[in-house]
Amino acid sequence: MDTGEMDHLIEKKLSSTELFKGRLLHAYRDVVSLPDGSQATREYVVHPGAVMVVPLLEDASGSTRVVLERQFRYPVGRVMVEFPAGKLDAGESCFACAQRELREETGFTARQWAHAGVLHPLIAYSTEFIDIWFARGLQMGPRNLEEGELLDVFTATPDELLDGCRQGLVTDGKTLTAALWLQNVLSGNWPLDWQDAA
């Protein structure tokens, strides 16, 4: 896809004011210069970035199931179905974070990994990005949840996941994006470059 010339769309920061600094989120209000010479205000949240893992459980017959989680998400007040995910620690690579989150949340480690892409879930008001990884050759081990982290781990077929998306049972944006990736990977339309875990 040709995105064309973009200089006429670029905004430039003139000043920045810190609004809030918490354990996870850091909010700012910036004054920017618009391409037409006028000025505007932009409020946004700085986020360290995150990863999401699409774990594939494959059996001897060639059938595939995906590993999912159920977790209560306080801001929306409901239990959500999601793929394993979590934020980057300071200085941590996306791949190391993906391996850590899969192991901590589900107990699984993976023999092979493939980087699928990057998702920007909140482009209007956050710097957050989510690095998307696929994992296969799963081996079960102990979970190591963080204090206060309560979640159920379960498996579903790809068709069951897609049906949950269609019915509105799965509404988490990153998981909906992962379902699109999964559908295209399994159909052969979006091949992955699988690498052995280091």
Side-chain angles (χ1 to χ4, degrees):
M1 177 174 60
D2 180 12
T3 56
E5 178 59 43
M6 293 181 280
D7 286 348
H8 66 288
L9 300 172
I10 305 299
E11 301 175 0
K12 296 180 180 166
K13 179 165 64 174
L14 299 174
S15 65
S16 186
T17 303
E18 182 181 78
L19 301 176
F20 170 81
K21 186 169 186 178
R23 193 169 69 86
L24 171 63
L25 303 177
H26 202 167
Y28 288 89
R29 178 184 298 121
D30 290 1
V31 176
V32 300
S33 172
L34 302 179
D36 65 4
S38 62
Q39 294 183 3
T41 309
R42 301 288 183 248
E43 293 180 351
Y44 62 98
V45 173
V46 173
H47 187 283
V51 300
M52 171 179 55
V53 182
V54 181
L56 305 178
L57 269 175
E58 299 159 318
D59 63 24
S61 70
S63 296
T64 299
R65 297 182 72 82
V66 292
V67 178
L68 294 160
E69 300 173 351
R70 292 185 196 92
Q71 185 172 189
F72 182 78
R73 293 298 194 174
Y74 183 81
V76 293
R78 59 180 280 204
V79 174
M80 304 292 283
V81 172
E82 308 172 51
F83 278 109
K87 73 175 183 64
L88 292 166
D89 287 341
E92 185 177 38
S93 73
C94 289
F95 181 49
C97 183
Q99 291 178 304
R100 176 178 58 77
E101 289 292 343
L102 179 64
R103 183 180 61 254
E104 287 180 356
E105 293 188 358
T106 70
F108 284 110
T109 57
R111 288 195 307 272
Q112 290 192 311
W113 291 83
H115 183 250
V118 177
L119 162 67
H120 291 95
L122 306 163
I123 57 174
Y125 59 89
S126 177
T127 64
E128 182 178 5
F129 68 89
I130 301 174
D131 220 39
I132 305 169
W133 290 84
F134 278 66
R136 69 183 182 188
L138 302 183
Q139 296 177 318
M140 177 55 88
R143 292 198 299 170
N144 185 25
L145 296 174
E146 295 177 10
E147 186 177 347
E149 187 175 34
L150 304 170
L151 55 87
D152 291 337
V153 177
F154 69 103
T155 66
T157 67
D159 285 344
E160 288 169 341
L161 171 62
L162 292 171
D163 196 46
C165 295
R166 182 187 62 78
Q167 293 178 33
L169 302 174
V170 178
T171 60
D172 170 55
K174 67 184 182 302
T175 302
L176 292 169
T177 299
L180 172 68
W181 274 97
L182 177 66
Q183 189 175 36
N184 281 282
V185 165
L186 294 179
S187 71
N189 289 330
W190 294 0
L192 294 173
D193 182 17
W194 290 96
Q195 304 290 327
D196 291 337

